Amino acid sequence: MDYRSDTFTKPSKGMLNAMLEAQTGDDVFGEDPTVNKLEAMMSELFGMEAALYCPSGTMSNQVAIKVHTLPGDEVICSTLAHVYIYEGGGIAFNAGAQVRALEGDRGMITAADVEAAINPDDVHKARTSLVCLENTSNRGGGCCYEWEQIEKIREVCNKHGLKLHLDGARLFNALLATGQTAAQFGATFDSISVCLNKGMGCPMGSVLLGSAAFIKEARRVRKKLGGGMRQAGYMAATGVYALENNVERLAEDHLHAKKIAAALLEREFTGHMLPVETNILIFEVKHPWSPITFRDFMQQQDIRVMAISPTQVRMVLHLDITPEMVDRTIAVIRSME
Ligand SMILES: *Cc1c(COP(=O)(O)O)cnc(C)c1O
């Protein structure tokens, strides 16, 4: 039972069969029908002109940031943003841009904070050119933006001529939790990256969405980064399968997360827990347990969790965690002395 991340999933039989049966071609030549199908499904779903299949969410984000900026530009995001703290300094390495990180709340920033952080047109200052949002926010415990806030940030971007990118690694989780639609997001952002390798259950992959002109340039940058893949249809087939089979079921992960949260909150050793909005739990573990001893005890019961700070543990739900496993996990939590 691996709750360390929703990346610890294995392809199901159905997904493996979809790979076996995939039609493929050379995608660097644009001739892989399954990659083309996945890209078309995603651009249609989001109502965006074009899409690009990338090997990872990191590459999708980095390609987008590179296309939207020039070296020396400034990118506004949260201090907790994946693009800033978990992509190996990629913004500096790949785009030559720098970050203006805003405090925000659980990885979410406001339109007012964005507007206050935009540099004036002054030779001393870096040119602000891009805002990156993350939804759901990973380090924020899987929380979701309210639609009004996103709209306000879009207005600020329009007013100041900034591009707006969404790191939507877990965007499908947000759509299910809030009732917001893919079309709303597609109409509002200049670019969106969506992971297939999280709760969607694929072994790899992410899709980057945007205008036809943006994706044309993104395809060029993906190639430069070594992300042009040949018979990628074998992998893209997992994405097609996941879109058809694994989206609605994410709601089950959200229910499981709430059940485990309720069991944890019955225990005195559970300290502050971030609000559980989707499939991620982040909570403090207190005396007589600590994040490390909690993790090690769980591991002895065949349950893997992650100690993510000196005070906090993270657990993430996904399609390889069954209702029976959730029940057993709750029994273990109740048994802890
Ligand atoms: C996982 C993740 C990514 C991309 O991760 P890859 O492992 O490179 O696919 C990007 N943003 C967020 C918020 C993530 O959780």
Side-chain angles (χ1 to χ4, degrees):
M1 271 179 252
D2 208 325
Y3 292 94
R4 284 174 297 169
S5 174
D6 44 6
T7 56
F8 285 87
T9 58
K10 303 268 173 64
S12 63
K13 281 234 161 62
M15 189 175 272
L16 289 169
N17 274 331
M19 292 176 75
L20 275 176
E21 287 162 15
Q23 307 271 319
T24 62
D26 189 330
D27 179 53
V28 176
F29 287 78
E31 289 180 12
D32 189 300
T34 309
V35 172
N36 293 342
K37 180 177 177 187
L38 173 66
E39 291 174 349
M41 281 172 86
M42 285 292 281
S43 50
E44 189 176 328
L45 181 60
F46 283 83
M48 294 177 93
E49 282 176 3
L52 183 69
Y53 183 51
C54 289
S56 70
T58 299
M59 192 183 287
S60 282
N61 285 330
Q62 291 297 322
V63 164
I65 293 166
K66 173 66 186 159
V67 174
H68 287 313
T69 60
L70 289 172
D73 282 3
E74 199 156 89
V75 177
I76 294 175
C77 65
S78 154
T79 52
L80 300 181
H82 194 282
V83 295
Y84 177 45
I85 60 172
Y86 293 137
E87 297 189 3
I91 293 180
F93 187 83
N94 298 308
Q98 64 187 29
V99 167
R100 173 77 70 94
L102 306 182
E103 196 61 48
D105 169 37
R106 293 175 289 151
M108 299 184 294
I109 56 180
T110 66
D113 289 346
V114 168
E115 189 153 36
I118 297 169
N119 285 331
D121 185 7
D122 174 336
V123 292
H124 294 90
K125 299 288 188 178
R127 193 180 60 133
T128 308
S129 54
L130 175 66
V131 176
C132 289
L133 305 184
E134 184 175 314
N135 198 39
T136 69
S137 164
N138 174 13
R139 209 56 185 66
C143 58
C144 308
Y145 271 90
E146 288 185 12
W147 188 253
E148 291 67 38
Q149 196 58 246
I150 291 176
E151 274 191 323
K152 283 186 195 152
I153 293 171
R154 177 74 258 180
E155 280 166 27
V156 167
C157 290
N158 289 348
K159 186 170 149 198
H160 297 272
L162 311 183
K163 295 285 194 266
L164 183 58
H165 171 71
L166 179 67
D167 177 353
R170 297 185 182 81
L171 185 52
F172 285 117
N173 294 87
L175 297 182
L176 281 162
T178 61
Q180 296 158 2
T181 66
Q184 269 178 298
F185 280 86
T188 304
F189 286 85
D190 294 293
S191 55
I192 301 177
S193 66
V194 183
C195 274
L196 301 168
N197 57 5
K198 302 282 165 77
M200 301 283 281
C202 301
M204 59 170 273
S206 160
V207 176
L208 179 63
L209 295 148
S211 70
F214 168 84
I215 292 295
K216 183 165 183 242
E217 195 54 31
R219 197 174 287 282
R220 183 176 270 284
V221 174
R222 184 189 68 173
K223 185 74 176 94
K224 280 194 255 226
L225 295 179
M229 300 174 288
R230 303 297 178 174
Q231 283 70 40
Y234 292 114
M235 304 313 294
T238 68
V240 171
Y241 180 88
L243 286 174
E244 287 169 349
N245 296 279
N246 293 347
V247 176
E248 256 92 73
R249 64 148 309 286
L250 292 169
E252 194 179 319
D253 299 337
H254 300 177
L255 268 175
H256 288 168
K258 289 203 167 73
K259 277 180 85 171
I260 294 173
L264 281 165
L265 288 169
E266 282 170 15
R267 303 304 313 265
E268 297 245 313
F269 62 74
T270 304
H272 179 67
M273 181 183 287
L274 294 181
V276 180
E277 299 184 18
T278 54
N279 66 326
I280 301 178
L281 295 135
I282 294 180
F283 54 96
E284 286 178 358
V285 175
K286 297 187 305 189
H287 186 78
W289 296 91
S290 74
I292 299 291
T293 59
F294 181 91
R295 177 198 67 194
D296 293 347
F297 176 82
M298 284 288 171
Q299 191 164 347
Q300 286 162 14
Q301 321 295 316
D302 276 329
I303 299 169
R304 307 291 303 270
V305 306
M306 190 130 75
I308 58 163
S309 81
T311 55
Q312 291 168 306
V313 165
R314 182 176 91 151
M315 295 175 71
V316 187
L317 279 294
H318 53 74
L319 73 178
D320 286 356
I321 302 285
T322 64
E324 294 71 33
M325 291 177 184
V326 170
D327 289 343
R328 198 166 96 63
T329 302
I330 288 171
V332 170
I333 290 168
R334 293 198 170 130
S335 77
M336 291 174 74
E337 301 279 325

